[in-house]
Amino acid sequence: MLSLSARVQIPEQELEFITMRASGPGGQHVNKTDSAVQLRFDYANSPSLPDGYKAALRQMKDNRILASGWIMIRVESHRSQLMNKETAKEALLALLQQAGKPVKVRRPTQPSKNAKRKRTDSKTLRGKIKSGRGKVKL
C-alpha cells in the first residue's frame, strides 16, 4: 500500500513493475540478471486517486508523466532489483505528493512610492558620478 495521506492510499495491485537489464558496465554477471526496474502507474484510470491529483498530474511538466495517462519511472541505480523497486516507489510517492500540493496563486504588487523615490534618487546620484568622469577642461 502506497500511502499519500490518511485518506489517499494506492494499493500495490495498481502498480506494474517490469524488470530489464541495466545499462552500463557490470562484468560477467550483468548479462544474466534483470536488475533495472520500470514502474508503470495508470493514474488516469486509477480508482484510488482523487480527481484533484489527476488534474494536477495532467498539468505538470515532467518527462515521466505521459499524455496517455501513465506514469513511467525507470530505476537502475542499485545492483539489487528489490532496492530499485523501493526507489521507484519512493519516486512515485514524491511525484504524487508534489501533485497534491496546492498551487500558490501569485498576486501582482506595485512598488511603493518610497521605493520608487529611492530608485530615482540612486539613478540621479549615479548619473552625477558618471558625469564627473569627463575630460578635464583647463
Side-chain angles (χ1 to χ4, degrees):
M1 189 70 77
L2 204 63
S3 180
L4 292 170
S5 66
R7 291 183 300 236
V8 182
Q9 295 179 344
I10 299 170
E12 294 278 333
Q13 294 82 17
E14 291 186 29
L15 305 178
E16 262 182 62
F17 290 101
I18 300 170
T19 58
M20 60 201 75
R21 293 195 176 113
S23 63
Q28 295 174 341
H29 189 61
V30 72
N31 294 327
K32 296 187 286 184
T33 58
D34 293 340
S35 60
V37 172
Q38 183 180 45
L39 182 140
R40 296 170 44 128
F41 175 58
D42 187 9
Y43 74 89
N45 298 321
S46 173
S48 55
L49 198 63
D51 291 334
Y53 281 87
K54 292 177 185 179
L57 284 168
R58 272 188 230 104
Q59 297 297 320
M60 286 176 72
K61 305 245 186 287
D62 195 314
N63 292 339
R64 300 172 295 179
I65 302 171
L66 305 179
S68 60
W70 285 83
I71 295 176
M72 302 248 189
I73 298 174
R74 181 183 165 106
V75 179
E76 55 181 67
S77 56
H78 304 286
R79 287 184 174 192
S80 165
Q81 187 183 97
L82 188 63
M83 289 292 291
N84 284 333
K85 278 186 180 181
E86 292 301 318
T87 306
K89 284 184 199 175
E90 290 169 8
L92 177 65
L93 185 65
L95 189 67
L96 293 174
Q97 284 174 341
Q98 185 181 356
K101 287 183 182 176
V103 179
K104 189 175 181 181
V105 178
R106 185 190 178 280
R107 291 180 181 85
T109 58
Q110 295 287 328
S112 65
K113 286 183 181 180
N114 192 32
K116 287 181 184 178
R117 186 183 51 76
K118 279 184 181 179
R119 181 177 157 272
T120 53
D121 289 349
S122 69
K123 286 168 73 87
T124 308
L125 180 64
R126 188 76 181 148
K128 286 179 184 175
I129 292 170
K130 285 187 172 188
S131 66
R133 293 183 187 157
K135 290 188 178 181
V136 179
K137 297 178 182 174
L138 298 173

